[in-house]
């Protein structure tokens, strides 16, 4: 609750990562593929894949300046697309690898260190590591709200 800024930001991001993983613990692969309500196609499995893509994009591409392909292949840049043969185990493994790689990329970089957004309407805009960490906390917090609703639709489980 007190302390240096970097560990505090990293701790909040880790909390939200752990919350997503908790939301995916228990249901079957079929349940994790279930959307909450039409017309939404949002699923817990899709959220894990999407957040793996977010991890890769913001830490490797933006902070690290690396040219890396989408985690789940061309045509699935958002991560939301589900493949029949890919279950939660594979998706969580990919997501965890992206988290580990992002930590490696950020190690030794200060909060003021600058990366550059690649592609989209904001292409070329510089952002600090601080900004990326705050953005990722926000990204996870928003999607964990979605995950809570999805999980409640599956089996009634809510909360962190």
């Amino acid at each position: 609750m007190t302390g240096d800024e970097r560990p505090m930001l990293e701790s909040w991001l880790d909390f939200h990562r752990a919350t997503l993983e908790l939301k995916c613990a228990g249901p079957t692969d079929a349940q994790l593929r279930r959307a909450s309500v039409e017309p939404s196609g949002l699923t817990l499995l899709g959220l894990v894949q999407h957040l793996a893509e977010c991890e890769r994009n913001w830490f490797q591409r933006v902070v690290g300046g690396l040219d890396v392909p989408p985690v789940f292949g061309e045509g699935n840049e958002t991560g939301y697309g589900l493949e029949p043969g890919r279950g939660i185990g594979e998706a969580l493994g990919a997501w965890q690898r992206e988290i580990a790689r992002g930590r490696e990329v950020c190690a030794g970089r200060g909060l003021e260190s600058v990366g550059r957004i690649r592609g989209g309407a904001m292409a070329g805009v510089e952002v600090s590591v601080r900004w990326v960490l705050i953005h990722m906390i926000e990204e996870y917090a928003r999607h964990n709200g979605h995950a809570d609703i999805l999980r409640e639709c599956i089996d009634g489980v809510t909360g962190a």
Side-chain angles (χ1 to χ4, degrees), residues 78-129:
T78 65
Y80 288 119
L82 303 181
E83 294 291 325
R86 185 183 313 116
I88 191 64
E90 183 180 343
L92 283 172
W95 172 70
Q96 290 163 343
R97 286 188 297 279
E98 293 306 314
I99 291 169
R101 182 67 180 117
R103 286 184 175 131
E104 291 171 5
V105 168
C106 287
R109 285 184 162 92
L111 291 176
E112 295 80 21
S113 179
V114 173
R116 191 175 304 277
I117 295 175
R118 303 166 62 127
M122 294 180 61
V125 172
E126 290 185 335
V127 293
S128 67
V129 169

Side-chain angles (χ1 to χ4, degrees), residues 14-69:
D14 286 342
F15 168 80
H16 284 293
R17 287 168 171 155
T19 299
L20 178 68
E21 192 165 15
L22 179 67
K23 289 293 164 190
C24 295
T28 66
D29 276 352
Q31 290 173 313
L32 293 169
R33 293 171 172 277
R34 186 184 310 157
S36 59
V37 294
E38 289 190 12
S40 176
L42 190 62
T43 67
L44 282 169
L45 179 56
L47 280 176
V48 170
Q49 293 178 170
H50 171 68
L51 287 160
E53 293 292 352
C54 289
E55 294 275 352
R56 178 170 283 190
N57 182 61
W58 289 106
F59 293 115
Q60 292 184 56
R61 292 186 189 112
V62 174
V63 173
L66 302 172
D67 185 18
V68 291

